[in-house]
Amino acid sequence: MIFLLVSASIIVPIIMLFFSLKWKGAELVFNTLALLSALVFGNIAAASIYRILKNHTVFMTSIHAIFLNSAFLLTGAYLGIYVLYRLLALTLHVKSRSFKGTDPLE
């Protein structure tokens, strides 16, 4: 299972980068999904922390109950993959920009 998680965290951002290079609309889709994921992820975290503080149940098991929420896990996983995709896209962009102008025939 660990191998599957690690390999997916490498392969999925590469596939996302490939789609964004081939279809310009993919970047809009990925960005929109990231925005929605950040909203859901943040609201679930904030609501859970609020509930814990309101009920005065500041115990380790109380805060870790947030990991039982599948929406929290799915949106967090997408945000992790999305950050890797954006770093990969940024690296590719910087690399292509740094090689421009180095060719004397340009």
Side-chain angles (χ1 to χ4, degrees), residues 33-67:
L33 285 174
L35 177 65
L36 294 173
S37 293
L39 285 169
V40 170
F41 186 83
N43 287 331
I44 291 172
S48 296
I49 292 169
Y50 173 75
R51 236 183 336 268
I52 287 168
L53 293 175
K54 181 182 165 213
N55 297 334
H56 302 290
T57 57
V58 185
F59 298 109
M60 292 299 258
T61 54
S62 299
I63 194 64
H64 285 97
I66 196 171
F67 295 123

Side-chain angles (χ1 to χ4, degrees), residues 1-72:
M1 185 64 171
I2 299 294
F3 176 75
L4 180 65
L5 290 171
V6 172
S7 59
S9 70
I10 295 169
I11 294 169
V12 173
I14 293 171
I15 292 171
M16 290 172 70
L17 181 66
F18 175 76
F19 278 130
S20 70
L21 292 174
K22 294 295 179 188
W23 178 52
K24 292 300 175 192
E27 190 171 353
L28 177 65
V29 170
F30 297 149
N31 291 341
T32 304
L33 285 174
L35 177 65
L36 294 173
S37 293
L39 285 169
V40 170
F41 186 83
N43 287 331
I44 291 172
S48 296
I49 292 169
Y50 173 75
R51 236 183 336 268
I52 287 168
L53 293 175
K54 181 182 165 213
N55 297 334
H56 302 290
T57 57
V58 185
F59 298 109
M60 292 299 258
T61 54
S62 299
I63 194 64
H64 285 97
I66 196 171
F67 295 123
L68 298 175
N69 188 331
S70 59
F72 181 81

